[in-house]
C-alpha cells in the first residue's frame, strides 16, 4: 500500500467522486467487468515477473548497495548518457537488511535522468520515496546499477518482451526426415535471435499413487495392462516451458539469412559429425515412425549493426535466464 501526503489524500478523496456508482456498475455487463479485471491482473503479474527477473540479474552480478545521501546531488554520477540496470532499495530502523523498492532496465532513457526522477520529490516516483522517509516508514534509501551497452539492452528486451514463435515442420519425407517451415516476416536486417525448444517435465508419482498402483487388491492379482494405463494417467505433466539453447548475432548476415542457414540448409546437407546448434536441429529432423520431433521456437529483435559488437551478449542472456546456453560454447 502506497503512502500519501495530506494533500495527496485530499486529492485522492476528491477523485473518488469520479468512480462509477453501484447503479452504474450494475449497468456494465458482467463479462466486460470480468475481462477488465483479468486484463489488469495479467498486466500486473507481467510487470511483477519482469521486475523479479531484473532483481535476479542485479543479484547475480553481486553489486553493492550505495547509500543515497542527498535528494538533489547526483553530480558525482557520470552517467548522463549511460544505459543501465538499476535498483532502488531501503531499510528501516527495525531491520537493517536492504530490500528492493523498485528495479528497472533503463534502455531508452539515460540512467542519470531516471535516477534523478526517483530522487526528486517533485516527480511521482520521488514523492513516494520522500514521503516514506519523512513518515519514518523507511530509514535510508539506497541504489545500485550495472552499466549495459545498447546491444545488451536489446538482448534483455529479446528475453523479456519478445514472444517465442513456433517453427512448424512438414510431414516426414524420404522415410523418416521432416523439414522445418520457417514463418514469413523475418527481417532482412541485422539483429539478435534466439533458438529454443520445448521441455516437458513429468512429475514422479506420489507415494499414495505408487501404493495404489502396486496394490493388487483383494483378488491378489495384478492386471498389467490396467496397471500400465492407470500409471500413465497418474503421471502429472507439468506445463511446458521453452528452454533457450542458442543466441545468434546477425551481424555479417541478416536475421533472415542466419535463420535460413540454421533451419533450411542443414536438412539437405545433414552430417552425423555436425555439432552445435546445426547438429541439434538436423538430428531433430530425423524421427522414428509415429514420433514427432522436438518443438522448436525462435525469437528475434532488430539491432543496428554498429552496436552488435559491443558488450557480452551471451553472458548477459545467461544471467537473465539463469542457466547456460547449450550451444554457445
Amino acid at each position: 500500500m502506497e503512502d500519501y501526503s495530506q494533500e495527496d489524500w485530499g486529492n485522492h478523496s476528491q477523485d473518488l467522486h469520479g468512480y462509477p456508482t453501484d447503479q452504474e456498475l450494475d449497468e456494465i455487463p458482467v463479462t466486460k467487468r470480468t475481462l477488465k479485471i483479468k486484463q489488469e491482473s495479467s498486466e500486473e503479474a507481467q510487470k511483477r515477473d519482469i521486475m523479479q527477473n531484473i532483481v535476479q540479474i542485479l543479484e547475480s552480478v553481486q553489486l553493492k548497495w550505495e547509500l543515497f545521501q542527498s535528494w538533489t546531488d547526483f553530480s558525482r554520477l557520470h552517467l548522463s548518457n549511460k544505459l543501465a540496470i538499476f535498483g532502488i532499495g531501503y531499510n528501516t530502523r527495525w531491520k537493517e537488511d536492504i530490500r528492493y523498492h523498485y528495479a528497472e532496465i533503463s534502455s531508452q532513457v539515460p540512467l542519470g535522468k531516471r535516477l534523478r526522477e526517483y530522487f526528486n520529490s517533485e516527480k511521482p516516483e520521488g514523492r513516494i520515496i520522500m514521503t516514506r522517509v519523512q513518515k519514518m516508514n523507511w530509514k535510508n534509501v539506497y541504489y545500485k546499477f550495472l552499466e549495459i551497452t545498447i546491444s545488451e539492452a536489446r538482448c534483455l528486451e529479446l528475453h523479456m518482451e519478445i514472444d517465442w514463435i513456433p517453427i512448424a515442420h512438414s510431414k516426414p519425407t524420404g522415410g523418416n526426415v521432416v523439414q522445418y517451415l520457417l514463418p514469413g516476416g523475418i527481417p532482412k536486417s541485422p539483429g539478435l535471435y534466439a533458438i529454443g525448444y520445448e521441455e516437458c517435465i513429468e512429475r514422479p508419482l506420489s507415494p499414495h499413487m505408487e501404493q495404489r498402483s502396486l496394490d493388487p487388491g483383494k483378488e491378489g492379482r495384478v492386471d498389467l495392462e490396467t496397471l500400465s494405463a492407470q500409471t500413465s494417467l497418474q503421471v502429472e505433466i507439468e506445463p511446458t516451458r521453452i528452454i533457450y539453447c542458442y543466441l545468434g548475432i546477425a551481424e555479417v548476415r541478416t536475421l533472415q539469412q542466419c535463420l535460413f542457414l540454421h533451419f533450411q540448409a542443414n536438412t539437405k546437407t545433414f552430417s552425423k559429425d555436425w555439432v552445435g546448434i546445426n547438429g541439434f536441429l538436423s538430428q531433430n529432423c530425423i524421427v522414428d515412425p509415429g514420433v514427432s520431433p522436438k518443438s522448436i521456437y525462435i525469437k528475434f529483435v532488430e539491432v543496428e549493426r554498429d552496436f552488435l559488437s559491443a558488450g557480452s551478449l551471451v553472458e548477459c542472456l545467461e544471467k537473465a535466464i539463469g542457466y547456460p546456453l547449450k550451444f554457445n560454447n
Side-chain angles (χ1 to χ4, degrees):
M1 181 175 178
E2 295 182 353
D3 298 306
Y4 293 88
S5 66
Q6 205 67 30
E7 182 182 353
D8 289 333
W9 279 114
N11 294 335
H12 185 63
S13 62
Q14 292 174 9
D15 291 341
L16 291 177
H17 298 295
Y19 282 79
T21 62
D22 292 340
Q23 182 179 357
E24 290 171 332
L25 284 173
D26 290 338
E27 295 174 358
I28 301 175
V30 176
T31 52
K32 287 186 177 180
R33 274 185 280 165
T34 304
L35 287 172
K36 185 177 180 181
I37 292 171
K38 285 184 178 179
Q39 183 180 4
E40 288 176 351
S41 61
S42 175
E43 289 175 356
E44 288 301 316
Q46 186 177 11
K47 289 180 181 177
R48 187 168 58 251
D49 290 342
I50 290 175
M51 180 170 161
Q52 187 175 359
N53 203 335
I54 296 171
V55 168
Q56 173 190 320
I57 297 170
L58 289 171
E59 289 299 299
S60 68
V61 293
Q62 300 179 343
L63 299 169
K64 290 184 179 181
W65 287 105
E66 296 190 42
L67 175 65
F68 183 74
Q69 311 227 9
S70 169
W71 294 101
T72 56
D73 182 20
F74 255 100
S75 59
R76 66 190 185 88
L77 282 179
H78 308 291
L79 297 170
S80 57
N81 297 317
K82 304 290 186 180
L83 303 181
I85 308 171
F86 73 89
I88 306 293
Y90 68 94
N91 62 4
T92 68
R93 292 166 295 118
W94 302 97
K95 192 174 181 180
E96 285 293 328
D97 293 344
I98 302 173
R99 285 148 280 177
Y100 279 89
H101 165 63
Y102 184 73
E104 179 184 302
I105 299 175
S106 184
S107 59
Q108 303 294 332
V109 181
L111 174 62
K113 182 177 180 180
R114 285 300 287 145
L115 283 177
R116 281 192 291 272
E117 289 175 351
Y118 270 91
F119 293 103
N120 183 352
S121 59
E122 296 180 358
K123 300 288 185 179
E125 302 93 334
R127 191 179 303 120
I128 292 172
I129 294 176
M130 181 190 68
T131 301
R132 291 183 178 177
V133 172
Q134 287 179 339
K135 290 186 175 183
M136 298 178 72
N137 302 131
W138 296 353
K139 178 184 176 183
N140 293 314
V141 182
Y142 301 82
Y143 63 92
K144 63 167 63 173
F145 63 89
L146 174 67
E147 184 182 342
I148 58 176
T149 65
I150 292 177
S151 59
E152 288 170 341
R154 299 292 277 169
C155 182
L156 294 172
E157 177 187 338
L158 175 74
H159 169 53
M160 296 182 188
E161 300 181 22
I162 306 297
D163 293 331
W164 286 105
I165 301 172
I167 300 299
H169 53 79
S170 66
K171 292 182 179 180
T173 58
N176 60 343
V177 177
V178 300
Q179 289 187 343
Y180 298 109
L181 304 175
L182 281 173
I186 300 175
K188 297 178 181 179
S189 56
L192 299 171
Y193 62 94
I195 300 175
Y197 61 89
E198 195 173 87
E199 180 186 62
C200 183
I201 304 174
E202 293 184 356
R203 291 180 181 174
L205 291 174
S206 65
H208 175 66
M209 288 182 174
E210 288 179 353
Q211 185 174 0
R212 288 184 58 188
S213 300
L214 297 173
D215 186 2
K218 294 181 180 179
E219 298 179 4
R221 303 176 70 180
V222 179
D223 184 337
L224 294 179
E225 291 183 3
T226 304
L227 179 59
S228 175
Q230 289 177 348
T231 303
S232 63
L233 289 173
Q234 290 165 355
V235 173
E236 299 179 33
I237 305 298
E238 291 187 350
T240 55
R241 67 169 183 151
I242 301 172
I243 304 296
Y244 285 86
C245 62
Y246 185 75
L247 174 67
I249 304 174
E251 186 175 6
V252 178
R253 298 185 176 93
T254 66
L255 288 165
Q256 187 183 80
Q257 290 170 333
C258 289
L259 288 167
F260 179 85
L261 288 173
H262 286 305
F263 285 94
Q264 297 296 327
N266 61 55
T267 59
K268 301 174 183 178
T269 59
F270 172 71
S271 170
K272 290 184 178 180
D273 297 329
W274 278 17
V275 294
I277 186 62
N278 286 349
F280 167 73
L281 293 173
S282 296
Q283 291 170 17
N284 190 52
C285 289
I286 302 176
V287 296
D288 295 326
V291 179
S292 297
K294 278 183 181 290
S295 297
I296 305 296
Y297 296 79
I298 61 171
K299 57 167 63 179
F300 47 82
V301 64
E302 296 178 74
V303 184
E304 291 185 35
R305 184 173 280 107
D306 293 342
F307 300 136
L308 283 170
S309 60
S312 303
L313 297 174
V314 172
E315 293 178 3
C316 172
L317 181 58
E318 288 180 338
K319 285 292 185 182
I321 62 179
Y323 55 86
L325 294 165
K326 189 174 182 180
F327 300 115
N328 277 101
N329 296 332

